[in-house]
């Protein structure tokens, strides 16, 4: 029997989805319909409230996110939040009526990554969050802090967990560490919030002075415009009073040489994105002789999500939201992200 909030749940209605259909390409990303899904044994159904964009959502419709992507049609986006409105046989938690985020990696519960744990991500290998309903294993969703709005909660699974995994789980961030955060996108602003929570000295870089002022308001201790200061690695050391313990690297090829200047001997560079190129063009000798730890990061586990959510709840943190769009305006939201003028997260509202 499927348990729901005081009503029978029947999978006969149609729900709205945004999916790539027919062939890969942004032109084939369309508002469409599918049958409402029903939860089977061990599964829960979420009535989705909001979804959030990540940079990868610009690449996915063009089949730009790896060889394992699901056959079409593919419902897009990996981040979101919903209300549990039905549970299948055998599910004791979460309960109907509670709010939960679908987890980015559906099979990475805890521990270290491996091929299997990295093989099932939403909005790529599996259908994503741009659907009015989602059915997932009970272990594939996690509770969210009550103080967050739906828009804020929707941003946690990808950008939030990535920053948490980089700085806390892998980075073992310590009090009074020196951290450099590249840019003011979703991952980077979460990293700023988490680093400040740990008591770190944080340097933020950006292409925009106006965004840098906003980063200061969120707690950045020092800021550098990477356009007007191309040698920002040395500048970051000067501003921080020494080499950086940790660099949040989202640029890749174009930024790694400066990150290697900024990082201290024995420090860590978390390689999270390749916005400025995806091949290695850096002095690898510096990695060797200065004992630098180059750590690849790809989101994180359910355990990472729970630890992050606890910290957010206790500290009352709120992720910065740049703009919200109605569900049907996904293309306008993607265009806004692609234009790069955002500061923080771009969100879609499934219901008003
Ligand atoms: N590996 C993972 O687990 C994981 C998870 C999420 C995201 N990512 C990757 O991380 C990157 C950022 O993702 P996101 O969703 O946070 O993107 P986003 O919200 O679209 O933010 C991108 C920001 O990066 C900054 N940027 C662009 N080029 C830069 C450069 N050369 N130097 C410094 N900053 C630069 C810009 O900041 P300003 O506008 O301030 O200049 C821009 O706003 C992407 O490559 C994405 O694929 C990886």
């Amino acid at each position: 029997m499927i348990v729901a909030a005081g009503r029978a749940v029947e999978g006969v209605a149609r729900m709205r989805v945004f999916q790539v259909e027919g062939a890969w390409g942004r032109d084939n990303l369309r508002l469409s319909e599918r049958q409402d899904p029903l939860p089977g044994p061990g599964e829960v159904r979420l009535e989705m409230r909001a979804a959030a964009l990540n940079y990868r959502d610009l690449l996915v419709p063009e089949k730009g996110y790896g060889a394992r992507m699901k056959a079409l049609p593919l419902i897009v986006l990996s981040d979101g939040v919903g209300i549990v409105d039905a549970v299948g046989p055998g599910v004791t938690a979460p309960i109907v009526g509670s709010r939960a985020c679908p987890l980015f990696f559906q099979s990475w519960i805890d521990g270290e990554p491996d091929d299997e744990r990295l093989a099932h991500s939403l909005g790529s290998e599996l259908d994503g969050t741009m659907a009015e309903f989602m059915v997932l294993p009970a272990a594939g969703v996690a509770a969210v802090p009550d103080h967050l709005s739906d828009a804020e909660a929707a941003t946690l699974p990808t950008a939030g967990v990535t920053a948490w995994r980089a700085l806390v789980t892998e980075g073992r961030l310590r009090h009074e560490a020196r951290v450099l955060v590249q840019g003011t996108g979703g991952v980077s602003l979460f990293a700023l919030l988490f680093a400040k929570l740990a008591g770190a000295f944080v340097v933020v870089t950006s292409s925009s002075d106006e965004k840098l002022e906003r980063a200061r308001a969120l707690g950045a201790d020092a800021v550098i415009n990477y356009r007007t200061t191309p040698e920002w690695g040395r500048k970051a050391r000067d501003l921080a009073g020494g080499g950086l313990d940790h660099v949040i690297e989202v640029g890749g090829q174009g930024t790694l040489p400066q990150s290697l200047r900024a990082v201290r001997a024995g420090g860590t560079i978390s390689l999270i994105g390749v916005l400025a190129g995806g091949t290695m063009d850096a002095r690898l000798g510096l990695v060797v002789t200065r004992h630098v730890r180059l750590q690849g990061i790809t989101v994180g586990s359910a355990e990472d999500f729970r630890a992050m959510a606890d910290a957010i709840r206790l500290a009352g943190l709120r992720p910065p939201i740049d703009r919200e769009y109605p569900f049907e305006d996904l293309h306008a939201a993607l265009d806004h992200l692609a234009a790069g003028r955002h500061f923080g997260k771009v969100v879609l509202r499934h219901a008003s």
Side-chain angles (χ1 to χ4, degrees), residues 256 260 280-292 294:
L256 194 54
L260 283 169
M280 195 71 109
D281 189 15
R283 292 173 59 197
L284 293 178
L286 286 177
V287 179
V288 177
T289 57
R290 304 190 53 239
H291 218 108
V292 172
L294 263 185

Side-chain angles (χ1 to χ4, degrees), residues 17-21 28-30 32-34 73-76:
V17 302
F18 251 104
Q19 60 185 12
V20 184
E21 50 190 30
N28 297 318
L29 174 57
R30 297 194 189 111
S32 188
E33 281 192 340
R34 287 203 201 175
L74 170 73
I75 300 174
V76 293

Side-chain angles (χ1 to χ4, degrees), residues 48-119:
M48 297 302 291
R49 305 293 291 264
L53 293 185
N54 291 287
Y55 186 80
R56 89 199 274 266
D57 301 315
L58 297 171
L59 310 177
V60 163
E62 311 294 339
K63 205 177 183 219
Y65 226 80
R68 294 185 307 229
M69 293 178 71
K70 177 182 171 287
L72 298 179
L74 170 73
I75 300 174
V76 293
L77 271 54
S78 56
D79 274 351
V81 69
I83 305 287
V84 178
D85 86 326
V87 300
V91 174
T92 52
I95 59 170
V96 169
S98 61
R99 202 165 56 139
C101 283
L103 295 166
F104 181 90
F105 283 123
Q106 286 290 302
S107 346
W108 188 3
I109 304 303
D110 54 18
E112 297 300 309
D114 63 24
D115 287 346
E116 168 60 20
R117 289 169 173 171
L118 299 181

Side-chain angles (χ1 to χ4, degrees), residues 122-321:
L122 298 183
S124 170
E125 293 97 0
L126 301 170
D127 278 326
T129 56
M130 279 302 280
E132 289 178 310
F133 294 93
M134 292 183 80
V135 164
L136 297 162
V141 306
V144 297
D146 287 341
H147 73 277
L148 297 181
S149 68
D150 288 336
E152 291 164 341
T155 70
L156 301 182
T158 307
V161 172
T162 300
W164 184 266
R165 178 102 198 162
L167 285 176
V168 182
T169 314
E170 300 275 5
R172 295 182 211 94
L173 188 63
R174 57 173 181 76
H175 187 61
E176 294 182 345
R178 300 176 179 120
V179 175
L180 184 134
V181 171
Q182 289 179 2
T184 58
V187 174
S188 299
L189 291 184
F190 268 111
L192 168 61
L193 294 181
F194 297 151
K196 287 311 299 176
L197 192 59
F201 182 97
V202 185
V203 183
V204 174
T205 69
S206 174
S207 56
S208 151
D209 290 341
E210 189 244 324
K211 289 183 181 183
L212 287 173
E213 281 315 303
R214 295 175 74 181
R216 269 195 196 280
L218 283 179
D221 298 283
V223 297
I224 308 173
N225 186 318
Y226 63 79
R227 289 261 159 78
T228 54
T229 309
E231 293 290 319
W232 50 263
R234 193 170 302 279
K235 177 83 176 170
R237 289 180 84 97
D238 292 345
L239 291 170
L244 282 293
D245 297 282
H246 206 126
V247 176
I248 294 295
E249 172 69 62
V250 297
Q253 185 174 358
T255 47
L256 194 54
Q258 288 301 312
S259 296
L260 283 169
R261 291 221 168 89
V263 74
R264 71 165 168 84
T268 297
I269 298 176
S270 289
L271 192 47
I272 291 172
V274 291
L275 292 167
T279 55
M280 195 71 109
D281 189 15
R283 292 173 59 197
L284 293 178
L286 286 177
V287 179
V288 177
T289 57
R290 304 190 53 239
H291 218 108
V292 172
R293 185 170 176 239
L294 263 185
Q295 172 69 59
I297 296 286
T298 181
V299 196
S301 65
E303 185 182 42
D304 292 321
F305 185 103
R306 289 196 183 93
M308 171 197 73
D310 283 348
I312 288 174
R313 183 182 299 113
L314 284 171
L317 292 183
R318 289 183 176 280
I321 304 298

